[in-house]
Amino acid sequence: NGILISNVFQWLKMNTMELQQQFHSLRRSLRIVLVLSIIGSGSNGLSSMFLAATLPSLQQLFNSGEVSLPQEMMYVYDVLLSAPRLYYVCLAILSVMSLAGVIMMWQLRKNGVHLYTVAQLLLLIVPVLFLGKSYLAIGDVMLTALFVAFYIFSFRRIGAVKEQMDGADRLPSDSDMDQ
């Protein structure tokens, strides 16, 4: 009976160590992708805030003819500068929402996945609403889908590993061993 208990404790210890390694491996890969999201959401938020704050000045500068750009770049700047200020305000707010979701995910809070997903979907829709259907970029859609799917998968997997760890951390009682 003593050998059986010893073997059970040894198995639980090995199983717990395996689960902890799995959990830390998942968390490490999650954090690498979260860093990419922090960079993306942060830079998008800052550039949108900058454009929202300086749009009239930039429009005036470009309309004055003092700035000369290659013809290929003029189309891009025409589109960027013709968008209303509200467009950039919306992008900034949604980017901050996205960043908040990423920070919550960093803390392993599942609500962060939901906040990030909603913000990213709205970030795909806003250009279409303000600029037209032609501004729905398939690359943005695919990248958003990839990141959202990765976060959903990761949090489901982390949740499953945590549940297994919680169960493995509970040592069997004497009554469990008698059965």
Side-chain angles (χ1 to χ4, degrees), residues 20-121:
Q20 286 174 345
Q21 286 174 343
Q22 224 179 11
F23 176 76
H24 291 297
S25 174
L26 281 168
R27 192 170 180 177
R28 189 175 327 120
S29 62
L30 177 65
R31 286 201 167 174
I32 290 168
V33 178
L34 285 171
V35 166
L36 295 174
S37 290
I38 288 170
I39 292 167
S41 296
S43 63
N44 191 26
L46 288 174
S47 65
S48 296
M49 285 180 215
F50 173 79
L51 283 166
T54 62
L55 187 63
S57 301
L58 289 172
Q59 287 170 332
Q60 187 177 25
L61 181 67
F62 277 91
N63 290 336
S64 71
E66 293 177 29
V67 177
S68 63
L69 294 171
Q71 191 62 33
E72 301 84 34
M73 291 182 70
M74 285 307 292
Y75 174 75
V76 173
Y77 284 102
D78 284 342
V79 170
L80 288 175
L81 296 178
S82 66
R85 181 181 266 181
L86 182 60
Y87 170 70
Y88 295 108
V89 170
C90 290
L91 289 181
I93 290 168
L94 292 172
S95 295
V96 169
M97 272 179 58
S98 177
L99 185 61
V102 171
I103 291 169
M104 290 170 70
M105 286 189 283
W106 188 275
Q107 299 165 344
L108 295 180
R109 293 171 54 196
K110 193 174 183 181
N111 288 341
V113 176
H114 303 295
L115 184 60
Y116 176 83
T117 300
V118 168
Q120 289 298 311
L121 291 175

Side-chain angles (χ1 to χ4, degrees), residues 109-168:
R109 293 171 54 196
K110 193 174 183 181
N111 288 341
V113 176
H114 303 295
L115 184 60
Y116 176 83
T117 300
V118 168
Q120 289 298 311
L121 291 175
L122 290 173
L123 280 166
L124 290 173
I125 294 170
V126 166
V128 174
L129 294 176
F130 281 93
L131 305 174
K133 289 181 200 174
S134 62
Y135 290 92
L136 180 63
I138 193 70
D140 289 345
V141 171
M142 290 172 48
L143 198 59
T144 296
L146 182 68
F147 272 70
V148 168
F150 177 80
Y151 290 137
I152 290 170
F153 169 78
S154 293
F155 271 83
R156 281 187 180 163
R157 187 70 187 120
I158 284 172
V161 169
K162 277 180 140 182
E163 283 177 19
Q164 289 176 352
M165 284 174 61
D166 290 343

